Amino acid sequence: MATTNDFKNGLVLNIDGQLWTVVEFQHVKPGKGGAFVRSKLKNVLSGKVVDRTFNAGVKVETATVDKRDMQFLYKDGSDFVFMDTDTYDQVHIPGQVVGSNADYLLENQEAMVATHEGAALYIELPASVELVIEYTEPGLQGDRSTGGTKPARLETGAEIAVPLFITTGEKVKVDTRDGSYLGRVSS
């Protein structure tokens, strides 16, 4: 159990049997009336974000979420197999838990896996990853960085938009949060 005074970003609460992460919070003390905490909570499983207000000092049940660095080994059917880098235990994580992160996941890549009571909740990739362009239309003479974009298929199979001057086989940096192109990686 925790009180609203213990709120911090990333804290996981158990409200009505569902797990919610504190995205942001603000302690408010109006001129008259009691103080309260205005918070923005994100459902751990569905990703839905809601605004919720708590009276100051109210006790809220917290959930123990174990976050560990793991290494992605391989895909087994629809499951993704990760290995705990400390204990070398292998964990099967369902494809729906990995979600869109699968677009930026390569074998032997590190990821943070969050579990609650033995069940995987979500995985968190680094903010950006370096991936090779598997295929994109060839650029034309005169294509510059100020021009438009074209679709490109990454080695993971995901499609992203890249500038016109990028060619097949180049390594690029991709933002894992929104799939945007961040730049070339010089080898």
Side-chain angles (χ1 to χ4, degrees):
M1 293 293 261
T3 66
T4 54
N5 297 335
D6 301 324
F7 274 20
K8 61 181 187 264
N9 291 351
L11 180 70
V12 179
L13 307 175
N14 187 347
I15 302 171
D16 302 327
Q18 294 190 357
L19 299 181
W20 299 83
T21 305
V22 176
V23 177
E24 56 186 60
F25 66 96
Q26 177 184 15
H27 291 276
V28 180
K29 188 152 181 13
K32 62 184 191 184
F36 59 92
V37 176
R38 194 177 286 137
S39 67
K40 193 171 275 191
L41 305 176
K42 179 179 180 183
N43 189 305
V44 170
L45 297 176
S46 71
K48 184 171 110 181
V49 177
V50 297
D51 292 321
R52 178 110 187 232
T53 305
F54 298 93
N55 290 332
V58 168
K59 287 195 182 301
V60 183
E61 190 178 339
T62 58
T64 318
V65 174
D66 185 20
K67 296 180 178 181
R68 292 174 178 234
D69 284 327
M70 294 195 178
Q71 184 179 35
F72 172 58
L73 296 179
Y74 58 91
K75 195 167 182 220
D76 180 22
S78 64
D79 287 0
F80 290 77
V81 180
F82 284 82
M83 180 184 69
D84 188 323
T85 52
D86 296 331
T87 63
Y88 301 108
D89 290 339
Q90 292 187 10
V91 182
H92 287 258
I93 298 177
Q96 64 264 28
V97 172
V98 175
S100 63
N101 287 324
D103 291 345
Y104 313 108
L105 200 55
L106 284 175
E107 289 182 1
N108 301 322
Q109 185 176 334
E110 296 282 326
M112 195 275 302
V113 178
T115 56
H116 173 65
E117 296 175 355
L121 299 173
Y122 60 90
I123 71 163
E124 220 169 78
L125 293 175
S128 66
V129 291
E130 295 175 0
L131 297 167
V132 174
I133 300 289
E134 193 174 80
Y135 177 77
T136 186
E137 293 293 328
L140 301 171
Q141 184 62 35
D143 288 340
R144 298 287 174 254
S145 60
T146 55
T149 60
K150 61 182 178 180
R153 188 174 63 243
L154 299 170
E155 59 185 310
T156 59
E159 293 262 337
I160 65 165
V162 296
L164 296 171
F165 59 84
I166 296 294
T167 59
T168 299
E170 281 193 80
K171 196 174 227 187
V172 294
K173 196 175 223 177
V174 181
D175 189 319
T176 57
R177 293 166 296 203
D178 60 7
S180 61
Y181 165 85
L182 295 175
R184 280 177 164 159
V185 177
S186 52
S187 39

